[in-house]
Amino acid sequence: MSTVKSSSKKRKHDSISSEGVVVKLAAPPSGVGPLLVSYPALEAPPSTPFKCYANKKAKNEAKQPEKVEGANERNLLLVGETDDIEFISNEGESKKAAESGCRYLIAVHNKRNSTLNILPTAKTPYILTRTVKSLKSISASTPSQHEYRHARNVLGETFGTKKAKASIRAQERNRVDVSAMEGVMNHLQQGIDRGAAGLLTHEEAKEEADKNRLIPPFDAIAVDPEDSYPLHNIIPEVEWKALSISAFDQATGPNERKALLPFKWSNWINGHVNMTYADNESPKKRKRNLRILLYVSAMFAFRRAVENKKTVSKDELTEKLSVVPAVVLDGLISRFTETSRGSTGLISTSTTQTKLLSYMFALCLKVDNFASDTSQIAHDLNKSVTELQDRFVRRQRTS
């Protein structure tokens, strides 16, 4: 076998040795150039002509001598073309290259006198983009969302895993076809309009909400406290007319007047009945206050008859409240009791009890000129003064 001997000869290099080369700093160019470009994979022939176009900003910078040398090259547009391809510089990409610190020094080597002339200014390359002339007439159409989804699903059905295919089928089942709804949109809108026609307006909704409050209907724009709770919003006029006070005028003393009351154990009611006859009031005001006191007494008696009982029948109430006019009793039952489903028994709930007390307190305020002694009323109702005062404050704030 022949042995291969290593050669000690050095390989010749194509590059020129630095020995004997004189490096010189060339004078700055008087105009624009030379410029560096970076081709997009496809390189143009060396004979391709390029032209520079300056925008308004570059022209203004060129007129200012205090600007950094080469600043007027930063806003140039570089354009070149061959028979088939157009090249144009991309301003955004060129700016990114400059901001990343990409700089080159350009030098020219003269072989004849062995000199290397270096330009004093570092250059930033212009990033070029290309456009094929024959394809310019073809408009690039962006696929729609439906086309994109369809193509993705086809790829998934062809190359996807079992889990991916199951996910694609589930999405297709749950997808709503909007185009199928276009024909019924007008029909749906008409149905919505018909349904909305029966809805309450803002004013009607507010009025309905006020009716459902656990306080008597009030006048929100009343100036006089007496008008804040109209009397017949608390005691309907038909019940008001049924309240007879002629027997009170014929009574000879407090005991006889007390015996005429539906509820005889209220110190507040008994005291105000006696004060009505003791004070020198007008007959009209005295009759008005007596009727209110008689109605409040009926409310006291009604409260005791229905309180703390699961159910009570109308016949039981009629028997217990025999001195109360039938129309007044019917009104108290309709406003301050509820009926359970499938039963005729009357129930007193916490809601109806609160409503009853609210109506009662509004009448007490009218008799006392809106300055009631809550401690006396609390004693009659077997409630704490604090709880009663809180309810009175709520009534007065509403008014």
Side-chain angles (χ1 to χ4, degrees), residues 10 42 45 75 77-78 92 106 122 147 169 176 277 293 302 306 318 327 330 348 358 375:
K10 294 183 179 179
L42 182 64
N75 297 291
L77 185 66
L78 196 60
I106 300 177
E147 293 173 343
R169 297 189 189 99
V176 177
Y277 282 94
L293 292 170
F302 181 82
V306 298
T318 303
V327 64
D330 291 340
S348 176
S358 299
S375 60

Side-chain angles (χ1 to χ4, degrees), residues 222-238:
V223 178
D224 189 348
E226 179 65 29
D227 299 331
S228 58
Y229 290 108
L231 179 60
H232 291 308
N233 285 349
I234 306 173
I235 307 175
E237 192 169 358
V238 63

Side-chain angles (χ1 to χ4, degrees), residues 90-105:
N90 188 309
E91 184 178 358
E93 294 298 327
S94 300
K95 186 177 180 182
K96 288 181 181 179
E99 292 175 351
S100 66
C102 184
R103 300 284 190 277
Y104 294 91
L105 283 174

Side-chain angles (χ1 to χ4, degrees), residues 311-312 333 337-349 352:
T311 58
V312 61
I333 291 174
T337 61
E338 296 178 2
T339 304
S340 59
R341 182 178 299 178
S343 173
T344 58
L346 304 175
I347 303 173
S348 176
T349 63
T352 58

